[in-house]
């Protein structure tokens, strides 16, 4: 009996954004802590252990588990209501030639909504830059 292959419903989206900050601890604070994420990513972020609760406005909220991290390098979260194997990751990169930092974002999107995911991250990165990063 042949086994059916399932077609993934999500595709990986990889984006990179230049940062003006040269302070890895400041970048880390912004991407890995509840207060830092509240400053640019969501209206409110609360962390209890490895579970982060993200809220936007009065009615939209989601929970994510911090599934992996390496201090001053990257954080990886999995939305609890999303498909297994999906995550969003923010990784601090340094260009060895220019010594400038950037943030690499890895996320997953429905096959027909990758432009929406890119647009959401573009907007979030604009907010991060307004925080001085």
């Amino acid at each position: 009996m042949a086994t059916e292959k399932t077609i993934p419903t999500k595709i990986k989206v990889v984006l990179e954004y230049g940062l003006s900050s040269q302070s890895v601890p400041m970048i880390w604070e912004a991407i890995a802590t509840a207060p830092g994420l509240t400053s640019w990513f969501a209206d409110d972020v609360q962390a209890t252990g490895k579970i982060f609760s993200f809220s936007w406005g009065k009615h939209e909220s989601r929970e994510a588990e911090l599934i992996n991290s390496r201090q001053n390098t990257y954080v990886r979260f999995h939305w609890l209501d999303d498909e297994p194997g999906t995550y969003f990751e923010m990784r601090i990169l340094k260009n060895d030639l220019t010594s400038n930092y950037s943030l690499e974002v890895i996320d997953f999107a429905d096959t027909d909504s990758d432009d929406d995911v890119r647009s959401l991250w573009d907007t979030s990165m604009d907010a991060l830059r307004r925080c001085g990063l």
Side-chain angles (χ1 to χ4, degrees), residues 105-120:
V105 174
I106 300 170
D107 202 351
F108 287 80
D110 292 325
T111 54
D112 59 347
S113 67
D114 62 316
D115 287 340
D116 293 339
V117 167
R118 291 173 195 276
S119 178
L120 285 170

Side-chain angles (χ1 to χ4, degrees), residues 65-93:
E65 179 182 6
L66 177 65
I67 56 173
N68 209 343
S69 69
R70 183 173 184 190
Q71 187 165 351
N72 295 327
T73 305
Y74 75 95
V75 292
R76 180 180 289 184
F77 294 94
H78 169 71
W79 293 116
L80 296 181
D81 61 354
D82 212 344
E83 295 178 13
T86 61
Y87 57 88
F88 69 98
E89 179 177 295
M90 294 174 279
R91 182 174 292 271
I92 301 168
L93 303 176

Side-chain angles (χ1 to χ4, degrees), residues 18-23 26-27 29-31 34-42 123-133:
L19 300 173
S20 60
S21 178
Q22 296 300 305
S23 170
M26 283 180 60
I27 299 167
E29 173 78 14
I31 68 169
L37 289 162
T38 298
S39 70
W40 68 278
F41 188 72
T123 301
S124 292
M125 286 302 125
D126 287 344
L128 180 65
R129 289 186 186 111
R130 285 193 299 277
C131 293
L133 297 178

Side-chain angles (χ1 to χ4, degrees), residues 41-75:
F41 188 72
D43 294 336
D44 185 45
V45 180
Q46 299 294 319
T48 305
K50 291 186 173 202
I51 303 299
F52 284 65
S53 299
F54 298 85
S55 299
W56 297 269
K58 292 183 180 181
H59 303 291
E60 187 178 351
S61 64
R62 290 180 85 184
E63 288 190 331
E65 179 182 6
L66 177 65
I67 56 173
N68 209 343
S69 69
R70 183 173 184 190
Q71 187 165 351
N72 295 327
T73 305
Y74 75 95
V75 292

